[in-house]
Amino acid sequence: MGITTSAVPHNIPRSPDGGGTRHRGDILVAVSGGEDVSPAWTAGRLLGNQFGVPVRIVSAVDPAEDYASLSNISEMAAGLEKSLRAMRDADIRRRLRDIGFRLEPSEVDVLAGSPAHALETVARERRAQLIVMGRRKHRLVGRILGGETAFRTLRAARLPVLTTGSAWNALPGTIVVAMDFSAASVAAAQCALDMAAEGATVHLVHVWMRSDSTHPAHSRSNFIYESSLPERFGRAGRALRVPGGATLRNVVLTGKPVEELVSFAEELGADLIASGTRGAVLFDRLIIGSVANGLLRSTTCAVLVVPAAPTAESERLEQIVAGRVLSSGPEEWTALLEAFSARNQARRSVLEVDDPAVGAQIQQRGYFFRGATYDPREGSVQLMFGARDRSAVHLTRSIHNPRQIAIRPADLGSEEVLRVAHGTGHTLLSFLP
């Protein structure tokens, strides 16, 4: 059961530049055959007006792969594809006319292939900033399939995806954000704030599992972690551009994240739940479980899922949220890594590589850290790991041409983290308790 342990409202004035981001790309509304188009279309139009950008409908048809695979009837396959696209286009326009909208010819794109591929193609061409799609209601299977489609779209287009449970008659005024104090969750909060109604209340909700053990060590761990939360909320709030009149509320719940977030949102009658994902959609879903994926499967409320920000923006957010990051130039990297190695040698570690091209991947988990070095001649960082017997190095990770080496010091409730930025991504070395 979730317990609200703190809920501190505070108004933050709009920043001098007007607050919010400068929105430039189109908003894409994804529509499938036979689907009620009004919820996604209404939400898309509201947000298009909010951001001052065009709204386009995108749909996809399957041109029957069996026909396309037979060369002697390739013309028939091409004709079938053309017919299917024309029928889908006419169907979308008819359904929108039924609810009072007439679209220009250029406002609808119907492509052949999977929905995720179609959206990726149009998003790239139009430099889109957001994808809006509807979600089947009431049936569990429909919600699950809707969630899977949203995640395939998120992985392909790498854009925020908003799934609507029902038609929006106004911009969201009550918003719940899943806040784990990562750069991704802060990015999700910012995206939600940008689409919020004037005077909206945005609840930054952190859910954690309190130990029920009465052992003094566990009690102290609970106390240390809980004591760290006010400052973490403060740092997250300082990283956000909050529109004038909007209110942030900091909320702490205990229990299972998805269950507590859904329950809290339903009690509030929230219009929107927002969650970040670090970009490794497949990994998150299959290995560690994704809060965002769980929300899509568990609620009929509108859900906004925001992928990891570009590297430079993620680095900026991480530095703000972490509070302080010790960084240095190449002339100091050797000494920095030697000191880091001395503090953390023989600790059980987790090595993760996060790159926008492939997402986040765990390279190893549980190996004992042996040390880290920087070779200025080769311009590379070497991270070395071994087994429990500490007799030898069993795994080495070489990172060539690092752009930045930074250390997030141990804080209340958190462990020290080494971050090496390279190319368009970064490698993270953290430690198990």
Side-chain angles (χ1 to χ4, degrees):
M1 177 179 179
I3 302 173
T4 303
T5 58
S6 66
V8 184
H10 54 284
N11 289 295
I12 301 177
R14 184 183 291 271
S15 60
D17 65 356
T21 55
R22 295 182 178 180
H23 300 277
R24 295 178 179 175
D26 290 5
I27 291 176
L28 305 184
V29 176
V31 175
S32 63
E35 175 190 354
D36 181 6
V37 68
S38 59
W41 175 247
T42 304
R45 281 178 55 85
L46 283 168
L47 293 171
N49 291 334
Q50 172 90 330
F51 300 157
V53 300
V55 181
R56 303 174 64 83
I57 285 182
V58 180
S59 192
V61 296
D62 182 355
E65 294 179 1
D66 289 342
Y67 284 99
S69 66
L70 300 176
S71 59
N72 61 329
I73 56 172
S74 58
E75 292 185 4
M76 181 184 299
L80 175 62
E81 175 186 318
K82 184 176 180 179
S83 297
L84 289 173
R85 292 173 62 185
M87 291 171 60
R88 177 67 58 81
D89 185 281
D91 179 59
I92 290 170
R93 294 178 186 279
R94 177 188 58 76
R95 284 185 279 151
L96 284 173
R97 280 198 306 271
D98 290 344
I99 59 175
F101 295 100
R102 291 184 178 272
L103 298 181
E104 296 296 326
S106 62
E107 291 182 288
V108 179
D109 287 304
V110 180
L111 282 70
S114 70
H117 174 73
L119 285 163
E120 179 189 17
T121 300
V122 178
R124 184 173 58 252
E125 292 175 351
R126 306 297 302 182
R127 297 185 178 179
Q129 61 172 299
L130 175 70
I131 294 171
V132 183
M133 59 175 53
R135 207 149 32 108
R136 301 173 191 174
K137 298 180 291 183
H138 306 308
R139 294 176 58 225
L140 176 62
V141 172
R143 290 208 303 274
I144 290 175
L145 291 176
E148 293 300 321
T149 299
F151 267 97
R152 285 195 295 270
T153 302
L154 183 75
R155 184 166 65 250
R158 297 194 62 80
L159 290 174
V161 174
L162 171 66
T163 63
T164 59
S166 58
W168 285 4
N169 297 316
L171 294 169
T174 302
I175 298 173
V176 172
V177 178
M179 175 57 61
D180 64 1
F181 308 111
S182 65
S185 65
V186 174
Q190 187 63 66
C191 192
L193 280 164
D194 290 345
M195 61 177 60
E198 184 176 354
T201 300
V202 178
H203 303 260
L204 305 181
V205 182
H206 178 68
V207 185
W208 66 292
M209 294 291 292
R210 179 192 296 272
S211 173
D212 294 328
S213 171
T214 58
H215 191 282
H218 293 163
S219 298
R220 175 168 174 73
S221 178
N222 285 340
F223 173 77
I224 290 175
Y225 188 85
E226 193 166 7
S227 298
S228 75
L229 294 178
E231 172 147 2
R232 290 184 173 190
F233 273 118
R235 293 196 297 252
R238 289 192 289 274
L240 297 171
R241 299 177 300 276
V242 183
T247 299
L248 292 184
R249 289 178 59 89
N250 301 334
V251 180
V252 180
L253 304 174
T254 57
K256 296 181 178 179
V258 172
E259 293 179 6
E260 297 302 326
L261 286 163
V262 170
S263 177
F264 181 77
E266 290 178 349
E267 289 176 8
L268 284 179
D271 304 307
L272 174 67
I273 305 175
S275 175
T277 182
R278 292 187 295 171
V281 178
L282 181 63
F283 173 79
D284 283 347
R285 186 170 71 248
L286 297 181
I287 306 298
I288 62 176
S290 167
V291 170
N293 188 36
L295 292 172
L296 284 167
R297 294 171 181 264
S298 304
T299 180
T300 56
C301 179
V303 176
L304 172 68
V305 181
V306 179
T311 301
E313 177 64 6
S314 290
E315 290 176 0
R316 185 187 72 84
L317 292 176
E318 284 175 2
Q319 291 188 16
I320 295 173
V321 175
R324 54 192 180 100
V325 174
L326 300 179
S327 184
S328 61
E331 69 280 358
E332 299 177 359
W333 286 350
T334 299
L336 183 74
L337 292 176
E338 286 179 355
F340 175 83
S341 300
R343 290 193 301 272
N344 295 289
Q345 196 167 41
R347 297 187 63 188
R348 294 179 67 234
S349 62
V350 179
L351 186 67
E352 179 177 357
V353 177
D354 195 349
D355 190 305
V358 297
Q361 298 179 356
I362 295 291
Q363 300 291 298
Q364 66 85 10
R365 182 182 182 88
Y367 274 70
F368 288 81
F369 178 55
R370 291 286 176 263
T373 63
Y374 173 66
D375 186 338
R377 293 171 299 179
E378 295 186 1
S380 65
V381 172
Q382 304 289 326
L383 303 177
M384 294 161 284
F385 307 90
R388 181 181 295 275
D389 60 15
R390 308 182 185 182
S391 59
V393 171
H394 294 275
L395 175 67
T396 298
R397 163 73 175 172
S398 297
I399 305 170
H400 298 284
N401 302 317
R403 293 186 292 106
Q404 181 191 64
I405 297 177
I407 294 173
R408 188 184 71 194
D411 200 353
L412 287 174
S414 68
E415 298 284 352
E416 190 171 25
V417 177
L418 173 67
R419 182 179 184 279
V420 182
H422 48 86
T424 60
H426 58 261
T427 295
L428 292 176
L429 172 62
S430 57
F431 300 98
L432 298 173

